[in-house]
Amino acid sequence: MNQKNAIEVKNLIKKYNNDSVALNIEDLNIPYGSIFGLLGPNGAGKSTFINILAGLTIKNSGSIKICEIDIDSNPKTSRAMIGVVPQEINIDPFFTPIEILDIQAGFYGIRKKEMKNKEILEELNLSEKANAYSRSLSGGMKRRLMVAKAMVHNPPVLVLDEPTAGVDVELRKKLWTYIKKLNSQGITIILTTHYLEEAEKLCDHIAVINKGKLVACDKKDTLLSLIDIKEIQIKLSQPLLKVPKNLKDFIISKNKELLVIRYSKSKISTGKIIDRIIRNNLKIEDLSTRETDLEDIFLKLLDN
Ligand code: ADP
């Protein structure tokens, strides 16, 4: 079966001022209904990609479809399929949230009686502030208003550029809840982030871009299973004086009684490692394990 995608990219190339290639993506599909994380170091090409989707930057070649609509043949229709929440908060402090949404809806040619701006504010818990000056909103409310602004034309795809950059932990969690709620209503979410924890908690699909190229793109769980490494930290009851022979390939650091042991899960089990420790007459006082996280994957991919 041919799965339909919210975004389909083929042979996309973008160069700035005929310089080196900023983006070169052969093939990228973002499934409908996913929360898709776009990761990559600074300068990787994430904003360029988002700006091309949003119609703000012109690509050099290749094709992009948003909800099966080609952005070159049908620029207006394809743009209506997508809402973009930029990184910087850009709301006029002298307008009220409802006025801001009405103006934004006007840009999309939505008629007054068709506007659902009150409902959108309610959805984002901003009803109480609908008629307050936007400058009186808290940081979190302003962020939510940015999301509301991107939703005025009811797009099936929502793009969030670094939605929680510089945001405190509590607000970050609230924003995650909103993003999940929008997704549960069927909206495909694309977000860039440099918080790996955010991608790990929120996204079901992840793409990693480095130097303009896609270095990974898969379901999050598939990506996580790529890494075969496990780490355990062991506290012995006494300092380790000499590293035993049958553990020397696994101990990556030792500091008195503290050992960090790293091994390949497919080659040896945690039980066998512990057996070897006990067979050397070493007593374990405490043990903690660390599972693979996105950081390991990320570092490995950027290393290649
Ligand atoms: P990211 O969002 O991942 O940090 P960008 O898309 O901003 O990456 O940048 C990708 C590359 O394109 C970088 O090398 C950057 O310097 C270059 N670039 C981005 N915008 C412009 C521009 N307006 N003019 C020239 N080069 C640019």
Side-chain angles (χ1 to χ4, degrees), residues 84-282:
V84 179
V85 184
Q87 222 177 100
E88 296 86 30
I89 291 178
N90 61 353
I91 41 184
D92 193 319
F94 296 104
F95 285 104
T96 66
I98 194 73
E99 286 168 344
I100 286 171
L101 297 197
D102 287 354
I103 294 167
Q104 182 76 5
F107 289 145
Y108 283 93
I110 301 169
R111 270 174 286 180
K112 197 91 188 160
K113 59 175 192 243
E114 283 161 7
M115 288 184 190
K116 299 235 159 55
N117 296 338
K118 279 192 184 142
E119 288 89 330
I120 295 173
L121 286 179
E122 198 174 312
E123 188 70 17
L124 285 150
N125 260 350
L126 286 168
S127 293
E128 274 180 29
K129 291 281 181 181
N131 297 305
Y133 279 128
S134 295
R135 63 169 177 232
S136 71
L137 303 190
S138 70
M141 289 169 175
K142 283 183 185 148
R143 290 254 168 193
R144 282 182 344 242
L145 183 54
M146 293 288 292
V147 177
K149 231 176 118 179
M151 294 298 296
V152 287
H153 57 297
N154 196 21
V157 180
L158 184 67
V159 180
L160 302 125
D161 194 2
E162 298 273 356
T164 64
V167 155
D168 66 35
V169 179
E170 198 188 335
L171 179 52
R172 179 169 306 151
K173 296 216 164 121
K174 277 197 187 144
L175 284 166
W176 289 352
T177 309
Y178 283 118
I179 292 171
K180 281 194 171 147
K181 186 168 155 197
L182 290 171
N183 180 249
S184 71
Q185 293 163 355
I187 293 169
T188 304
I189 308 276
I190 302 168
L191 63 97
T192 69
T193 182
H194 63 263
Y195 295 113
L196 294 176
E197 190 206 348
E198 178 159 281
E200 200 160 335
K201 290 251 161 69
L202 209 54
C203 301
D204 47 45
H205 286 71
I206 285 172
V208 181
I209 310 189
N210 192 24
K211 297 179 189 149
K213 290 199 162 175
L214 207 59
V215 291
C217 182
D218 222 319
K219 287 188 179 148
K220 178 185 67 188
D221 295 342
T222 313
L223 274 184
L224 285 172
S225 68
L226 282 180
I227 295 254
D228 189 30
I229 300 222
K230 182 152 184 163
E231 233 175 65
I232 51 179
Q233 184 166 305
I234 286 181
K235 189 171 180 230
L236 300 172
S237 54
Q238 282 176 343
L240 183 68
L241 300 174
K242 188 166 175 269
V243 174
K245 221 170 163 186
N246 64 356
L247 285 171
K248 80 171 179 8
D249 290 342
F250 303 113
I251 295 180
I252 57 160
S253 84
K254 98 178 161 73
N255 182 4
K256 296 180 188 152
E257 56 281 318
L258 267 187
L259 306 179
V260 178
I261 294 181
R262 189 182 286 168
Y263 54 94
S264 174
K265 286 189 282 187
S266 61
K267 298 207 175 95
I268 187 162
S269 67
T270 314
K272 290 223 163 86
I273 293 274
I274 290 170
D275 269 355
R276 288 185 186 204
I277 295 172
I278 293 169
R279 266 192 277 138
N280 283 292
N281 294 324
L282 299 168

Side-chain angles (χ1 to χ4, degrees), residues 16-17 19-23 40-49 51 161 212:
Y16 287 103
N17 316 320
D19 276 354
S20 59
V21 178
L23 208 54
N42 273 340
K46 304 179 296 293
S47 306
T48 300
F49 179 65
N51 288 339
D161 194 2

